[in-house]
Amino acid sequence: SEFDVVLMRQDPPFDMGYITATHMLDHIHPTTLVVNDPTEVRNAPEKLFVLKYREFMPPTLITRDASELAAFRMQHEDIILKPLYGNGGVGVFRIRGTDQNFSSLLEMFGLTYPHQPYIAQKYLPDVRKGDKRIILVDGKFAGATNRAPAAHESRSNMHVGGKPEPATLTKRERDICEAMGPELKKRGYNENLALGAPLPSTQRAAVIRAVEAFNSTSDGNWQVRRVHTAAYLIFGSPNY
């Protein structure tokens, strides 16, 4: 079969299967358009790429060194610990300063996620208000939604009870978009694409990139947690 466009929509884990898929797609791109650019997808794992913008992030540590993680926990007292290349909220734990399971959890992570670091972040209490997904098209703001966690959850993933809500942007969030948009566009994540004859002229295809952010302060400011690596192909009105 022949295809004009291939959409790569592959969730983590960011493992050899994921990496191999990007290498295979490199062989057909750009003769066959691959959305997003497979080289750039491979070179920008979501939780590592966002470290370029630490001014917008909560305190973050990436390591598998138990002593460094213990020191980070002692400094911030209430933290989130999760696998670096996980997805869907799986393996995300909130560890408070008095929690006595910290060492056991690190042992379990070592068995479950061998040969990869973990990511620890200071817990932000206002996450109870939800985490926000901001959609950029061609490097510009196009829309946003908020995911509010269920009463019994610290995670806001919808498959564990999170609820989507309409959302708008604060000034700080627009500053985040302006800071990150040009780099995402340069990497080929945020382009308006005209696919030509197969689609009616009233339709467009757009590659979008989701910027995931946590509300961190009572004044409504948000901090970036990661840039979502998944791309989506959206067909329809450009005013979505």
Side-chain angles (χ1 to χ4, degrees):
S1 298
E2 294 184 356
F3 297 91
D4 296 315
V5 179
V6 174
L7 168 63
M8 184 179 181
R9 175 65 173 96
Q10 183 168 329
D11 283 331
F14 191 79
D15 55 13
M16 287 308 300
Y18 192 110
I19 292 171
T20 300
T22 65
H23 280 295
M24 294 177 68
L25 292 171
D26 272 333
H27 286 280
I28 66 171
H29 180 75
T31 303
T32 296
L33 176 63
V34 180
V35 183
N36 290 331
D37 185 318
T39 299
E40 295 297 344
V41 169
R42 182 172 63 248
N43 290 343
E46 58 193 52
K47 299 183 186 73
L48 295 177
F49 173 81
V50 76
L51 295 176
K52 294 175 177 287
Y53 305 94
R54 297 183 70 92
E55 67 272 25
F56 298 122
M57 297 179 66
T60 299
L61 174 67
I62 296 178
T63 184
R64 60 181 291 118
D65 186 284
S67 61
E68 292 184 359
L69 289 164
F72 185 85
R73 179 200 183 199
M74 182 176 295
Q75 178 183 359
H76 298 290
E77 297 184 346
D78 197 351
I79 67 171
I80 294 292
L81 184 67
K82 57 188 176 182
L84 182 61
Y85 295 123
N87 71 293
V90 176
V92 177
F93 289 86
R94 179 183 178 187
I95 306 295
R96 295 176 174 86
T98 57
D99 196 312
Q100 299 181 13
N101 295 304
F102 181 68
S103 296
S104 294
L105 181 60
L106 292 184
E107 292 168 2
M108 185 189 73
F109 267 40
L111 295 173
T112 307
Y113 308 107
H115 315 302
Q116 70 168 268
Y118 323 131
I119 180 168
Q121 292 184 304
K122 178 181 178 181
Y123 177 73
L124 305 176
D126 277 357
V127 72
R128 299 303 314 166
K129 299 176 182 177
D131 72 52
K132 187 174 290 188
R133 296 293 181 95
I134 300 173
I135 307 304
L136 302 179
V137 176
D138 202 26
K140 303 296 183 181
F141 171 73
T145 185
N146 188 47
R147 301 185 311 175
H152 61 284
E153 273 283 355
S154 60
R155 301 172 297 173
S156 58
N157 305 79
M158 284 186 247
H159 72 91
V160 294
K163 301 295 184 183
E165 302 172 340
T168 56
L169 296 191
T170 66
K171 180 183 182 303
R172 177 177 171 83
E173 292 156 11
R174 292 190 178 277
D175 290 342
I176 292 172
C177 292
E178 290 176 5
M180 302 182 74
E183 178 67 16
L184 295 175
K185 179 181 178 180
K186 183 177 73 173
R187 288 173 176 264
Y189 294 134
N190 308 291
E191 301 171 356
N192 289 335
L193 305 175
L195 297 188
L199 293 177
S201 60
T202 56
Q203 293 185 318
R204 287 188 179 182
V207 182
I208 64 177
R209 188 79 164 176
V211 178
E212 188 171 306
F214 272 163
N215 191 319
S216 63
T217 62
S218 58
D219 61 4
N221 287 331
W222 294 65
Q223 290 184 312
V224 172
R225 181 165 66 100
R226 71 180 184 213
V227 179
H228 203 293
T229 57
Y232 303 80
L233 202 58
I234 303 298
F235 297 98
S237 166
N239 299 314
Y240 38 76

